[in-house]
Amino acid sequence: MYLPDFEYFTPDSVEEACQLLSKYGPKAMAIAGGTDIVVKMKKEVLAPEILVSIGHLPELKKIEYVPGKGVVIGAGVTHNEVQNSKILQEKYLSVCEAAHQMANNQVRNLGTIGGNISNAVPSADMPPILIALDTTVKIVGSKKERTLPLEDVFKGPNQTVLEHDELITEFVIPDGSFTGSTYLKFGLRASGALAVVGVAASVQMDGGVIKDARIVLGAVSPVPLRAKEAENLLKGKQASEELFEEAGVIASGECRPISDIRASAEYRRDMVRVFTRRALLKAVNEGHV
Amino acid sequence: MAKEFSYLNMKREYSYIGKSLKRTDILDKVTGRGKFAADLKFSNMLYGKLIRSTEAHARIIKIDTSEAEKLPGVRAIITAKDVPSIKYGLSPARYDENIFCIDKVRYYGDKIGAICAVDEETLYKALKLIKVEYEVLPAVFTPAEAAKPDAPQIFEEYPGNINTEIHLEFGDVEKAKQEAYYIRTDRLQGQRTLHGFIEPHCSIAYWEGKRVTIHSAHQSAHYLQHHIARIFDMKEGDVRVVLPYIGGGFGGKVDISGLDIAAVALSKITGQPVKMFYDLEEVWYNGRARHGMDMKYTTGVTKEGKILFVENETILDGGAYTGLGVASAYYAGALLTVLYDFDNYRFDAYRYVTNLPPCGAQRGHGQPHPRYAFESHLDHIAEDLGMDPIEIRLINARKANTVTPNGYEVKSYYLKEANEMARDASGWKDKKGKLPVGRGIGVGNGGFVTGAGYCMYRTDLPHSVAMIKIYDDGTHAIVYTNAVDIGQGSDTVLTQMAAQAMGYPYEDITICTRDTDLSTLDFGAYASRQTLMAGWAVKRAGEDVKRKILAQAAEMLKVKEDGGYRFGKLTPEELDCEEGIVFVKQEPAVNITFAEVARAYFVKHGVLIGRGYYHPGKLGGTHKGAAVGTSPAYSSATQVAEVEVDMETGLTKVVGTWDVHDSGFVVNPQLLHGQVHGAFSMGIGETIWEKVVFDEKGKVLNGNFAEYRLPTALDMPYVESLVLDTFEPNGPWGVKEVGEGATTPTLGCVANAVYDAIGVRISELPLTPEKIWRALKEKEAKEKGGK
Amino acid sequence: MAEFVVGEDGIKRYLVSITVNGIKYTKVVKANSLLVNFLREDLNLTGTKRACEQGDCGACTVLLDGKPVNSCMVLTVSVDGREVTTVEGLASNDKLDILQEKFIEHSAPQCGFCAPGILMSAKALLMKNPNPTEYEVREAIAGNLCRCTGYVHYVEAILDAAAASQERKDGKNG
Ligand SMILES: Cc1cc2nc3c(=O)[nH]c(=O)nc-3n(C[C@H](O)[C@H](O)[C@H](O)COP(=O)(O)OP(=O)(O)OC[C@H]3O[C@@H](n4cnc5c(N)ncnc54)[C@H](O)[C@@H]3O)c2cc1C
Ligand code: FES
Ligand code: FES
């Protein structure tokens, strides 16, 4: 395999990166870890003429807790950095666990959380758990800056609301009231397998009663999907396995899976049921966020 | 009548064999120093690729290379018109593959031509500029489609798209049917898989005058040399094949690949070395892996479970060309009779050609699928009779020193003992029928030939030849043999054998292999033949050296006259040599070093060389195809697997595996266990995940390691590899095979374990989570409906 | 930003300075140069293997600033100023790394094509976690496919290497 020719820029700041992207227009693209874009270029799915490196920018590399705001994760943080972050392990272990279930160790050392989101593949592992935790995204462009709920970033497979001169710079997982969360990935091999179904759940418990819940499904619709009807079912109810099974059944009705080489739509639907139930149980029982 | 002789428990001690000595190649492999084909560079070398078809079945109208030719750095582009129009293959009866397609392409990925350029980048760019115009023909992708009366014909020479048709009967099946207490039929399907070695093929050729040298990732220096000579109408002596380290083969580097032929042709035209290589995906198009098989078995048994007859109908999806496929078809039915002792057997098979990459041999050639089908079938028969699965196997297992109805002579054979040992090691009795739902245990039997009885083409050549040269001063020895170490460790095992045969230190021996100029004939690494066949040649060469050493030593050694032993001159028979010391057997204190003796020999006679060769002789019966499956020795093996199935998702996790191998004398236990571990991992992959998938155009959909899932370190269970202490009279020091045989029971044993766990038989491999899920749903629906 | 020159073909070549196995190399590469090819072709370090070229097999694993990565997905320009360790850099002079010693002892590789990658993954693991569990070892090499060995001897060898280097350390300190 080979890569076609392109030009490579190493800007010193996000600002400069955005200006470069703006200057060269759609023929320029950002590259962070390169684990998506390099493979796509080899496969001739993409052929950017210019790559603007952002993976090296220190301003995208932070993971910090800002009281009153939440945990801030720079877009250039790699999956292994997420997984090994003391702050995240303490505050949102489920995010670390999601990062840990991704790809394999070598890819996790390169691939970034920003790349995973921007790439917007339906089976991506980070979106469900981040959405389940009400994560917001800071988007910086050459002219403007905006903050959106992560949920609103996705438009379709490989499509986001980002303009071509915009970059995601950070994710904020707000101080929330969730008492438990988890992400369960169902892949066809113990490592190096994309999700056939991914289910993230977060719950806010009041004793045995569910005050609030999020269920976010991956790999079963063009974009990560909130199973809102299932969420509504849960609210105000006493947690039980039967209830979670019912939520699973509802969620499996809400998803819009396709059949592909990995699984049929029918199977994916049923796996949504199974993993929704399992995710809710885990989020409630294990209690860590 | 002579008393039945047992080759069991003949424990022997040796200096250099029966020990896990350090691999000869290991330092190269842990330092990155060892060169694989793609690591080689020659000055002025060009880089080349095949031009491949993007249609499954089509007439070639026009090949436009003009744009590519204009690209600076492109050195040559060749198509059918630039190379001999000869047909080649591996089964002489069916040479049906052209170097490059002449009239039409027969599968997506078929070879249309080749191109070379000064560097990889130019090469890839040029490749994209080549335009081929086709007249698309209707294609067939399954044997069922190929068999239809109005199906498009892929080859003129195979009417009805039937490439190989087999009808054999031994004994009297119809009569046995009358006598059977119980008869059952099962039909199961094995899928098309891939060898899955990590190193893609690569081949480099260059010419020096009339001679060509090829460095290739190949499993047989000899076959490559033979076929290149044949294709280019050259003398074999003008073709030199050198094989670097090989990154795994498993049968996928036995065929003559388009790379080898194109490298030779392009380097001739350009006068420069040409490196031809595959990207990983092209390995799928190269194909030559396990055939998809549709297998129907009908078996009749007595009340006690003794098999009376078996009818076996097998349909093979051959893909576009034959390669080794005729042998695959015969193998699909040949070896069942080795495992189980019954007299009446009918085997009918059809190998169809289809518009998919050609199938061929993959580890355990032709065995894993039939073993999977029959072992599943046998479990059902046992269940129907209320028998334990191991019990029915014990009753039917073949015994040593017998002859199968299809004419194979079986010397050492201890399948029964293997079953017993596997049963005890796995805790079978405490588990079978006692595990909770979702957990299961299963057994499977297998085994393999230890080398094919006949060369792939007709010849009277010995199968293996070896030579050992001792350095002038006796301080080092070189073993010559073109046995091919593809990772299995033949270099090590053969060096151990040479050390043992000569009585010379292992660490002072170098092995010179895989070079047709520098080393000696061997047919290469296939059919699990190296340890036995090259082993014989090396053993004999070593003994030849030893004979000369002892004769020389007899002249040099003197027994002290007052030592009380005896007076006078020694004879060689009174001497022996071990670990580099020649000594008087009756008085070991009287000794001299091998090196001193060797030096004296050199001074007197010139170079000290030992020679040995091996030919298995005439084997097998006279029926059509009788040669396939003949072998000097047969291994047997029993495997047990324990699995855990998630009853909601269908995901299977193999949690424990046990293998008991009847491999004859084990030269290097560590290497043997390594073979078993690898075999299990391939077999588990094939049972649960692996299958080559195509789209409706015949294009491979999972030509990568993301979607063609080999087991990772996290998927592999605990493996316990055990050996029976057996001895094979036809093997040097009693050896038999392990490499291929170890894969043959796995599919059946894992499938039986899954059946045990979930209570439904899935009749088609692989047992993906979704298939298990579906089967469980259907079972549930049926049970509900039944109520 | 890396300095560059523009070739006659109008394509930029970048000046990079990369430390490989402790030696600093200054080279001119195109932006499309992949680290795996740079190592194998430009530096002749063919111990690093190329197979799947998409991050699936791990044959091309090298350490980049101490962390294992797939060099088939890394642009050489992005490694400017950084440190790479390949299998050739494991042994110092003629002294093998403990992992190499244990790979030999356990006969871990068979065909050996995956071995350099597995060594690098294992090396990174032991640098970070000198006392790993079997699961952690399996996890660390799960991105390295091996078709020959079922990973059994590899896992044993890595665990043994960890134990042996712990012992050596204890010996030294005590
Ligand atoms: C072998 C292998 C296995 C994989 N397994 C998984 C898996 O299990 N689960 C999974 O989810 N993914 C998987 N992936 C995909 C990939 O590794 C991840 O999506 C990774 O997070 C991508 O990050 P990156 O930094 O490498 O992205 P890059 O390749 O650098 O970029 C990807 C895309 O995002 C854009 N981009 C990157 N950063 C930003 C930013 N900050 N703002 C705006 N746009 C940006 C780029 O322009 C590009 O279009 C796998 C990939 C490989 C090669
Ligand atoms: S070649 Fe890089 S991961 Fe396979
Ligand atoms: S040893 Fe052959 S691939 Fe691992």
Side-chain angles (χ1 to χ4, degrees):
Chain A
M1 301 177 106
Y2 101 107
L3 285 177
D5 280 310
F6 54 87
E7 268 184 70
Y8 186 81
F9 289 95
T10 318
D12 291 327
S13 64
V14 170
E15 194 188 335
E16 191 188 339
C18 293
Q19 272 157 12
L20 284 165
L21 290 170
S22 157
K23 177 173 165 197
Y24 292 105
K27 66 181 181 184
M29 289 181 80
I31 178 168
T35 59
D36 272 316
I37 200 167
V38 170
V39 174
K40 280 188 186 149
M41 287 167 73
K42 285 187 184 187
K43 291 185 183 162
E44 297 176 44
V45 177
L46 287 177
E49 290 167 39
I50 290 164
L51 287 184
V52 177
S53 168
I54 56 167
H56 65 287
L57 293 173
E59 51 189 307
L60 299 180
K61 283 276 175 204
K62 63 185 171 217
I63 301 180
E64 59 190 21
Y65 177 64
V66 182
K69 187 174 177 193
V71 176
V72 181
I73 311 173
V77 169
T78 66
H79 299 303
N80 269 347
E81 285 162 355
V82 167
Q83 181 190 318
N84 298 328
S85 152
K86 290 274 168 309
I87 295 174
L88 282 168
Q89 283 173 4
E90 213 173 275
K91 297 231 157 236
Y92 298 106
L93 190 60
S94 52
V95 176
C96 304
E97 286 175 349
H100 180 67
Q101 292 178 61
M102 174 108 55
N104 57 49
N105 194 36
Q106 291 94 316
V107 173
R108 290 196 295 269
N109 276 328
L110 291 171
T112 64
I113 181 167
N116 192 250
I117 301 301
S118 313
N119 204 41
V121 170
S123 64
D125 288 314
M126 293 314 283
I129 186 66
L130 292 176
I131 293 172
L133 295 170
D134 291 343
T135 301
T136 60
V137 185
K138 185 168 162 195
I139 298 169
V140 174
S142 58
K143 294 185 193 71
K144 59 177 194 297
E145 235 183 71
R146 51 186 175 144
T147 299
L148 289 177
L150 175 56
E151 206 184 330
D152 297 343
V153 167
F154 302 99
K155 277 205 320 209
N158 301 306
Q159 283 179 312
T160 64
V161 299
L162 265 67
E163 310 271 329
H164 74 254
D165 70 332
E166 282 183 325
L167 290 174
I168 295 178
T169 56
E170 62 185 40
F171 300 87
V172 178
I173 310 178
D175 283 336
S177 39
F178 295 115
T179 53
S181 67
T182 195
Y183 172 68
L184 296 183
K185 170 178 184 171
F186 180 55
L188 296 177
R189 181 170 63 179
S191 170
L194 295 179
V196 165
V197 164
V199 180
S202 55
V203 290
Q204 185 193 344
M205 301 298 291
D206 183 2
V209 177
I210 304 164
K211 274 180 72 184
D212 197 6
R214 303 267 183 287
I215 299 168
V216 190
L217 312 175
V220 287
S221 77
V223 297
L225 185 80
R226 285 269 300 271
K228 290 199 173 145
E229 287 173 38
E231 289 175 4
N232 287 336
L233 169 85
L234 298 171
K235 280 178 203 161
K237 299 233 173 67
Q238 187 76 30
S240 73
E241 198 165 343
E242 293 72 44
L243 180 70
F244 296 157
E245 170 68 21
E246 203 183 324
V249 172
I250 295 175
S252 82
E254 288 182 80
C255 67
R256 287 178 288 143
I258 55 159
S259 295
D260 64 13
I261 184 172
R262 287 188 282 279
S264 73
E266 187 194 358
Y267 180 59
R268 281 199 163 97
R269 242 180 226 291
D270 198 43
M271 290 308 102
V272 165
R273 171 185 69 82
V274 172
F275 285 94
T276 299
R277 186 191 72 231
R278 290 184 185 179
L280 286 167
L281 264 174
K282 187 159 182 244
V284 168
N285 290 341
E286 292 186 11
H288 68 69
V289 190
Chain B
M1 207 179 92
K3 191 172 168 291
E4 191 187 312
F5 186 75
S6 167
Y7 301 112
L8 267 173
N9 301 319
M10 299 183 53
K11 208 153 201 68
R12 281 149 198 238
E13 293 288 335
Y14 299 97
S15 300
Y16 300 112
I17 57 174
K19 299 198 161 135
S20 299
L21 300 187
K22 194 163 91 179
R23 285 183 76 112
T24 55
D25 53 0
I26 195 81
L27 198 60
D28 276 355
K29 288 180 176 175
V30 301
T31 53
R33 212 182 284 161
K35 298 275 188 216
F36 293 81
D39 302 337
L40 300 174
K41 254 188 214 171
F42 295 91
S43 99
N44 211 16
M45 187 171 81
L46 301 170
Y47 296 78
K49 282 211 149 283
L50 296 178
I51 302 164
R52 294 186 171 281
S53 160
T54 53
E55 292 294 339
H57 196 198
R59 235 174 277 291
I60 301 171
I61 304 295
K62 193 172 153 208
I63 306 171
D64 180 1
T65 58
S66 56
E67 285 302 308
E69 274 158 27
K70 279 186 225 150
L71 195 71
V74 171
R75 294 305 308 271
I77 302 176
I78 54 175
T79 58
K81 64 182 188 321
D82 307 302
V83 290
S85 57
I86 189 170
K87 287 187 173 166
Y88 72 97
L90 279 182
S91 304
R94 312 267 196 295
Y95 285 157
D96 56 12
E97 192 161 355
N98 279 115
I99 298 174
F100 301 127
C101 299
I102 294 181
D103 48 346
K104 58 178 191 173
V105 298
R106 292 184 173 82
Y107 71 97
Y108 190 110
D110 210 347
K111 320 184 286 297
I112 291 178
I115 168 169
C116 64
V118 292
D119 57 31
E120 284 190 14
E121 196 172 331
T122 311
L123 175 66
Y124 281 108
K125 283 183 181 154
L127 208 49
K128 278 198 285 193
L129 299 175
I130 294 168
K131 304 262 172 316
V132 184
E133 243 179 72
Y134 303 95
E135 176 199 331
V136 178
L137 302 169
V140 293
F141 296 118
T142 61
E145 286 169 27
K148 282 190 187 145
D150 56 348
Q153 299 296 297
I154 304 175
F155 289 85
E156 266 169 36
E157 55 265 51
Y158 307 138
N161 293 319
I162 297 172
N163 163 270
T164 305
E165 187 172 346
I166 303 168
H167 303 287
L168 292 172
E169 181 165 346
F170 306 95
D172 189 339
V173 170
E174 290 314 313
K175 184 155 162 273
K177 273 188 187 170
Q178 304 306 312
E179 290 161 13
Y181 164 77
Y182 179 68
I183 296 177
R184 180 181 166 113
T185 300
D186 285 294
R187 186 174 162 192
L188 295 110
Q189 259 125 40
Q191 80 283 34
R192 176 190 274 260
T193 59
L194 196 80
H195 313 92
F197 42 76
I198 313 298
E199 177 207 31
H201 305 69
C202 177
S203 182
I204 303 161
Y206 49 85
W207 288 76
E208 285 158 309
K210 62 172 185 155
R211 298 192 83 213
V212 68
T213 300
I214 307 162
H215 299 258
S216 177
H218 204 274
Q219 290 179 233
S220 165
H222 175 71
Y223 287 121
L224 183 52
Q225 178 189 40
H226 172 80
H227 286 283
I228 291 293
R230 185 185 160 272
I231 290 166
F232 289 96
D233 195 19
M234 294 168 71
K235 289 183 264 185
E236 276 187 22
D238 285 340
V239 179
R240 178 182 180 189
V241 173
V242 186
L243 310 180
Y245 283 130
I246 318 295
F250 310 114
K253 292 171 181 166
V254 172
D255 286 70
I256 312 310
S257 85
L259 297 184
D260 298 310
I261 308 173
V264 171
L266 283 170
S267 60
K268 175 91 185 171
I269 290 170
T270 58
Q272 288 173 246
V274 176
K275 175 193 265 185
M276 299 286 303
F277 62 102
Y278 283 154
D279 289 358
L280 188 71
E281 188 186 20
E282 293 177 271
V283 175
W284 273 254
Y285 290 113
N286 186 76
R288 326 282 157 164
R290 236 189 262 315
H291 288 68
M293 287 191 201
D294 182 341
M295 299 157 288
K296 193 169 129 197
Y297 283 91
T298 301
T299 299
V301 291
T302 65
K303 207 168 176 174
E304 295 73 34
K306 182 90 193 69
I307 299 172
L308 294 177
F309 76 89
V310 178
E311 278 179 314
N312 168 357
E313 285 172 61
T314 297
I315 292 170
L316 298 93
D317 164 14
Y321 298 100
T322 305
L324 254 178
V326 179
S328 315
Y330 276 97
Y331 263 128
L335 299 184
L336 176 66
T337 56
V338 177
L339 273 88
Y340 300 116
D341 186 5
F342 58 93
D343 295 332
N344 308 298
Y345 182 43
R346 184 181 291 152
F347 173 48
D348 297 291
Y350 296 87
R351 182 183 190 269
Y352 284 94
V353 280
T354 56
N355 292 112
L356 292 177
C359 293
Q362 180 176 340
R363 196 174 198 169
H365 193 184
Q367 298 314 296
H369 285 340
R371 292 292 74 78
Y372 149 72
F374 193 80
E375 295 297 302
S376 304
H377 176 57
L378 198 56
D379 262 27
H380 287 307
I381 294 172
E383 191 180 14
D384 296 348
L385 296 179
M387 284 177 82
D388 179 82
I390 291 190
E391 202 51 43
I392 200 167
R393 288 169 172 83
L394 293 179
I395 290 175
N396 289 293
R398 172 163 299 284
K399 303 239 164 28
N401 295 314
T402 52
V403 180
T404 71
N406 47 347
Y408 308 140
E409 265 188 64
V410 180
K411 292 290 185 201
S412 69
Y413 203 76
Y414 295 97
L415 183 59
K416 179 168 169 279
E417 289 74 8
N419 272 276
E420 289 164 344
M421 197 168 176
R423 178 192 63 199
D424 299 343
S426 63
W428 177 272
K429 286 183 177 159
D430 298 329
K431 291 174 182 168
K432 178 65 192 173
K434 297 175 185 137
L435 297 171
V437 174
R439 194 146 178 138
I441 190 164
V443 64
N445 283 336
F448 204 54
V449 298
T450 309
Y454 292 86
C455 179
M456 288 187 204
Y457 63 93
R458 206 177 281 277
T459 179
D460 56 2
L461 289 174
H463 290 212
S464 190
V465 175
M467 180 171 91
I468 299 177
K469 185 183 89 177
I470 309 296
Y471 267 41
D472 318 354
D473 69 350
T475 57
H476 201 80
I478 312 238
V479 180
Y480 299 86
T481 161
N482 275 330
V484 181
D485 196 325
I486 52 175
Q488 85 280 40
S490 60
D491 283 0
T492 305
V493 163
L494 295 171
T495 305
Q496 287 181 265
M497 287 173 144
Q500 188 60 43
M502 291 190 287
Y504 191 76
Y506 174 76
E507 48 292 354
D508 292 332
I509 304 176
T510 300
I511 188 159
C512 171
T513 56
R514 308 193 297 267
D515 186 327
T516 55
D517 270 16
L518 299 186
S519 196
T520 55
L521 171 83
D522 181 276
F523 290 162
Y526 69 97
S528 249
R529 56 184 294 288
Q530 303 281 219
T531 306
L532 187 145
M533 295 197 173
W536 269 127
V538 166
K539 179 171 193 270
R540 287 169 180 165
E543 287 165 350
D544 192 23
V545 168
K546 188 165 169 176
R547 210 162 20 245
K548 289 171 181 163
I549 285 286
L550 297 187
Q552 176 67 34
E555 291 175 22
M556 298 167 75
L557 276 175
K558 286 206 173 49
V559 179
K560 262 193 273 154
E561 303 201 349
D562 57 358
Y565 171 49
R566 70 163 174 70
F567 302 98
K569 200 170 154 19
L570 287 164
T571 63
E573 291 70 38
E574 291 173 274
L575 306 180
D576 201 356
C577 176
E578 276 177 26
E579 302 179 28
I581 308 287
V582 184
F583 56 91
V584 178
K585 281 191 246 179
Q586 298 242 357
E587 199 175 340
V590 180
N591 60 48
I592 184 169
T593 65
F594 182 111
E596 280 175 82
V597 180
R599 189 177 182 286
Y601 180 99
F602 188 82
V603 169
K604 205 164 154 195
H605 306 280
V607 61
L608 171 48
I609 282 178
R611 300 188 305 170
Y613 74 95
Y614 174 74
H615 193 295
K618 199 180 155 358
L619 294 172
T622 50
H623 58 271
K624 192 167 180 220
V628 179
T630 57
S631 177
Y634 298 87
S635 71
S636 69
T638 299
Q639 290 180 349
V640 170
E642 194 174 337
V643 302
E644 214 173 66
V645 180
D646 183 326
M647 298 293 278
E648 282 191 304
T649 64
L651 191 71
T652 300
K653 184 153 178 55
V654 181
V655 292
T657 52
W658 295 264
D659 174 287
V660 179
H661 231 84
D662 155 24
S663 296
F665 178 77
V666 179
V667 180
N668 186 317
Q670 206 174 36
L671 294 184
L672 175 130
H673 296 312
Q675 288 298 299
V676 170
H677 301 153
F680 248 122
S681 116
M682 181 182 285
I684 288 172
E686 290 186 70
T687 316
I688 302 178
W689 297 281
E690 300 179 26
K691 178 184 182 173
V692 182
V693 187
F694 301 91
D695 73 3
E696 70 292 344
K697 272 192 77 178
K699 186 170 187 281
V700 178
L701 284 175
N702 55 351
N704 54 61
F705 286 144
E707 296 303 333
Y708 190 92
R709 282 178 282 277
L710 315 181
T712 71
L714 284 171
D715 297 292
M716 271 304 288
Y718 167 77
V719 181
E720 187 166 344
S721 164
L722 300 164
V723 271
L724 278 174
D725 178 9
T726 64
F727 178 91
E728 169 55 49
N730 283 342
W733 290 287
V735 307
K736 294 197 282 189
E737 77 86 45
V738 64
E740 299 201 55
T743 315
T744 62
T746 314
L747 283 60
C749 102
V750 176
N752 281 337
V754 169
Y755 174 67
D756 189 44
I758 68 172
V760 211
R761 174 68 64 179
I762 294 158
S763 62
E764 188 193 5
L765 292 177
L767 308 180
T768 59
E770 181 162 353
K771 271 193 214 154
I772 291 179
W773 168 84
R774 201 172 293 281
L776 286 170
K777 288 252 145 182
E778 281 163 12
K779 182 181 169 214
E780 201 185 331
K782 217 187 271 168
E783 281 166 3
K784 270 194 198 134
K787 269 177 208 158
Chain C
M1 184 116 113
E3 284 175 51
F4 61 84
V5 289
V6 181
E8 253 179 49
D9 50 7
I11 291 165
K12 282 185 184 166
R13 269 89 175 156
Y14 302 82
L15 186 70
V16 293
S17 177
I18 302 171
T19 303
V20 181
N21 301 332
I23 301 168
K24 195 163 185 170
Y25 295 88
T26 301
K27 296 261 173 186
V28 173
V29 298
K30 293 208 299 176
N32 66 353
S33 158
L34 289 160
L35 183 57
V36 67
N37 295 339
F38 175 76
L39 293 169
R40 291 174 52 81
E41 300 291 323
D42 299 14
L43 303 189
N44 235 339
L45 295 170
T46 53
T48 302
K49 303 300 173 207
R50 190 177 83 171
C52 75
E53 304 183 68
Q54 311 185 20
D56 297 318
C57 77
C60 65
T61 305
V62 300
L63 303 189
L64 179 53
D65 297 331
K67 290 181 186 153
V69 299
N70 304 112
S71 61
C72 68
M73 296 193 298
V74 174
L75 300 179
T76 310
V77 274
S78 74
V79 184
D80 186 23
R82 301 170 76 181
E83 256 183 62
V84 177
T85 311
T86 70
V87 67
E88 289 92 344
L90 271 186
S92 48
N93 297 325
D94 218 23
K95 176 99 188 66
L96 295 180
D97 187 272
I98 182 77
L99 279 162
Q100 291 171 309
E101 280 176 27
K102 292 298 174 185
F103 274 34
I104 291 175
E105 199 178 307
H106 290 262
S107 227
Q110 291 183 22
C111 81
F113 198 76
C114 63
I118 295 191
L119 277 165
M120 299 324 284
S121 287
K123 180 72 187 170
L125 170 72
L126 298 194
M127 288 189 324
K128 194 176 78 178
N129 177 0
N131 211 348
T133 61
E134 179 182 332
Y135 183 82
E136 287 167 336
V137 169
R138 288 184 180 274
E139 168 109 284
I141 62 167
N144 296 88
L145 295 177
C146 172
R147 189 58 151 178
C148 301
T149 68
Y151 312 96
V152 178
H153 288 159
Y154 275 125
V155 172
E156 286 171 6
I158 297 167
L159 285 168
D160 198 6
S165 49
Q166 282 300 94
E167 262 165 42
R168 280 183 202 178
K169 231 192 253 152
D170 295 349
K172 239 188 249 160
N173 298 343

